[in-house]
Amino acid sequence: MNESLDVVLRLVRAQAALVRRFDARLGGLHGVSLSDFTLLLRLGQAPGGRMRRVDLAEVLGLTASGVTRGLAPLERIGLVTREPDARDARVAYASLTGTGRRRLREMLATAEETATDVLAVPAWGKEDVAVFSDLLSRLGGTGPSGR
């Protein structure tokens, strides 16, 4: 196996391990998955806490139907609501509810704590984290803000 393939496969395994770790923490404390949290975080960063579903799909790298499937359970538990566009009936917005905003703040604290644990000193220095972030960006990995 060549070195490039080995690195990519290691990255895939590391990503799976991170998802499991975040799912366990977020699920255990807040009843949501990392995928749910990511969706809520994007909505929370949007102006007014709402986005068109098609735009949400694009920033998350999902299909429109994938976003609809992801939003359905969040709507059922009252974290997100669907808002029609007053000018165009074909357009629907996903919007955080007041409960969704409060719960997102709690989830964010858990996610930040988990990320800090994952990249903890002494195994990871500040410079290591900065270099790793740069390398992930080169692969197309963007953070919650789209950077």
Side-chain angles (χ1 to χ4, degrees), residues 4-107:
S4 295
L5 179 57
D6 181 59
V7 168
V8 169
L9 292 175
R10 287 174 190 238
L11 183 59
V12 169
R13 286 190 300 273
Q15 189 264 348
L18 285 171
V19 169
R20 283 191 304 274
R21 190 167 182 171
F22 275 84
D23 280 349
R25 291 288 303 279
L26 290 166
L29 294 172
H30 307 287
V32 298
S33 67
L34 177 59
S35 179
D36 296 333
F37 168 73
T38 303
L39 194 151
L40 292 167
L41 185 60
R42 288 291 184 162
L43 280 177
Q45 293 170 331
R50 73 181 209 152
M51 290 180 76
R52 291 184 322 159
R53 289 169 177 255
V54 65
D55 295 333
L56 189 55
E58 185 171 327
V59 299
L60 293 172
L62 299 173
T63 62
S65 63
V67 165
T68 298
R69 282 190 305 275
L71 287 170
L74 299 173
E75 289 173 4
R76 279 193 297 276
I77 62 174
L79 301 181
V80 174
T81 189
R82 176 188 296 246
E83 293 181 3
D85 187 300
R87 294 177 304 211
D88 188 345
R90 298 168 296 176
V91 176
Y93 288 89
S95 178
L96 283 177
T97 63
T99 300
R101 279 188 284 282
R102 285 189 303 280
R103 295 273 312 278
L104 177 57
R105 282 192 297 273
E106 296 165 2
M107 292 173 207

Side-chain angles (χ1 to χ4, degrees), residues 76-145:
R76 279 193 297 276
I77 62 174
L79 301 181
V80 174
T81 189
R82 176 188 296 246
E83 293 181 3
D85 187 300
R87 294 177 304 211
D88 188 345
R90 298 168 296 176
V91 176
Y93 288 89
S95 178
L96 283 177
T97 63
T99 300
R101 279 188 284 282
R102 285 189 303 280
R103 295 273 312 278
L104 177 57
R105 282 192 297 273
E106 296 165 2
M107 292 173 207
L108 185 57
T110 298
E112 288 174 344
E113 181 181 294
T114 304
T116 299
D117 291 347
V118 166
L119 300 175
V121 173
W124 292 84
K126 280 189 180 236
E127 186 176 309
D128 294 328
V129 173
V131 168
F132 191 48
S133 178
D134 180 57
L135 293 171
L136 290 173
S137 294
R138 286 192 218 171
L139 286 172
T142 58
S145 64

